[in-house]
Amino acid sequence: MPTLVMKFGGTSVATLDRIRRAAKRVGVEVAKGYDVIVIVSAMSGKTNELVGWVNETSPLFDAREYDAVVSSGENVTAGLMALTLQEMDIPARSWQGWQVPVMTTSAHSAARIEDIPPENINEKFAEGMKVAVVAGFQGVSPEGRITTLGRGGSDTTAVAFAAAFDAERCDIYTDVDGVYTTDPRICADARKLDRIAFEEMLELASLGAKVLQTRSVELAMRYKVKLRVLSSFEEQSDEAGTLVCDEEDIMESNVVAGVAYSRDEAKMTLVSVADRPGIAAAIFSPLSEAGVNVDMIVQNISDDGRTDMTFSCPTDQVARAEKAMEEAKTRGDINFHDLVADQAVAKISVVGIGMRSHTGVAAKMFRVLSAEGINIKVITTSEIKISVLVERKYMELAVQALHEAFELEKAA
Ligand code: ASP
Ligand code: MG
């Protein structure tokens, strides 16, 4: 039997009624002859509530117990989904992570999946089970304790199962009907994409297009899992949603696939650090040890052997970054005159694999921003992405202007 993985996000299992609706979708695929692995999230809002309870009980919580509590939302929906399917006369069984087992690292609250031996579930499929309902987001550590995969982790569970069971496709059912050229809440002309390349999706996901957990896209790209994002609230055809696939499977595409933004960026500048070999390592090693996710980095030209070093990081990590830099200064590892944090910036990026073969995208982006009177504070580029930091108050305007200038409302 061919295998299909179907993942239902929190809004798709938010009520018993919605679970029934999702189960009907599963029934349609079972009727086509698939063995189906259903991955469920917790009911929407549940995980936030559980995280809140943990924080209230113990602000400096033991991460093993955090995982014990926070993983529980998925146990409920997995059992309810299995019961609902059984009520429809579809042989179904629920599986918690440890029962499969989904073997992970011991990095509690941010564990990585290491292996999913398919034998236990396959044995049940051979005995006539039609649907395995697996609790997403969770696994078991080598020490035998429950782990979780980080927020949004059930997307990664789904892709990992699709790879482990060599599934024909991994369908991610969510509350939007696909991946858009930009956020439709900001830009009314945003267009749903029929297909998007793994690499583009990876950039968009990590830039804050919250449709898929970044790690799930990395996994899908590595194992060539055909990934489809679609809405559980609309009638479905086989062409519904957005297919995330290999670049070779996309016939025509715009040079720029999408415009992404990230609202919560901060620009940090170390003013006047000594420009000597090893200075970047002395700055960025302690930042990384402190868990600061540094994104853009710019070193200015130096004057008299001193230079300014600018980097960006999420706003909620500014305090951690400041502490790490002050400590490095106290230890004598670095020396700077001042650390200036600008918390009123946003990052805007244009992404597209077409940039590999087309020049002029950066120049056009800068012209568009300049025509709107938007000053660029920092620029970084990669092969398929150009990102700029701008004042946060211009974020929406910048996204709209770029979407229009690159004509993303039109298909290629
Ligand atoms: N329930 C978890 C969360 O809210 C995992 C997921 O839904 O992907 O982060
Ligand atoms: Mg999600």
Side-chain angles (χ1 to χ4, degrees), residues 1 3 19 43 48 118 149 153 157 189 208 225 233 241 243 256 263 271 364 378:
M1 292 287 181
T3 308
I19 292 178
M43 290 178 170
N48 286 342
L149 309 177
T157 308
D189 289 336
V225 171
F233 299 103
L243 189 70
V256 171
R263 187 186 305 268
V271 180
K364 182 165 174 178
V378 179

Side-chain angles (χ1 to χ4, degrees), residues 337-394:
H337 288 174
D338 203 359
L339 176 54
V340 184
D342 179 356
Q343 304 221 39
V345 294
K347 182 172 62 181
I348 314 288
S349 309
V350 297
V351 173
I353 45 177
M355 284 183 212
R356 288 202 196 109
S357 46
H358 285 76
T359 56
V361 176
K364 182 165 174 178
M365 179 179 191
F366 304 153
R367 271 198 311 274
V368 171
L369 295 174
S370 124
E372 298 292 341
I374 301 172
N375 187 34
I376 301 172
K377 295 173 174 250
V378 179
I379 302 168
T380 56
T381 65
S382 78
E383 211 187 5
I384 67 160
K385 178 184 74 173
I386 303 158
S387 301
V388 296
L389 280 189
V390 301
E391 258 185 272
R392 186 168 306 135
K393 67 179 181 200
Y394 294 127

Side-chain angles (χ1 to χ4, degrees), residues 41-42 47 74 137 151-154:
S41 287
T47 310
E74 273 73 8
F137 179 53
R151 298 306 305 272
S154 52

Side-chain angles (χ1 to χ4, degrees), residues 327-346:
E327 285 171 0
K329 189 176 185 178
T330 308
R331 284 195 305 273
D333 295 344
I334 55 175
N335 186 345
F336 54 88
H337 288 174
D338 203 359
L339 176 54
V340 184
D342 179 356
Q343 304 221 39
V345 294

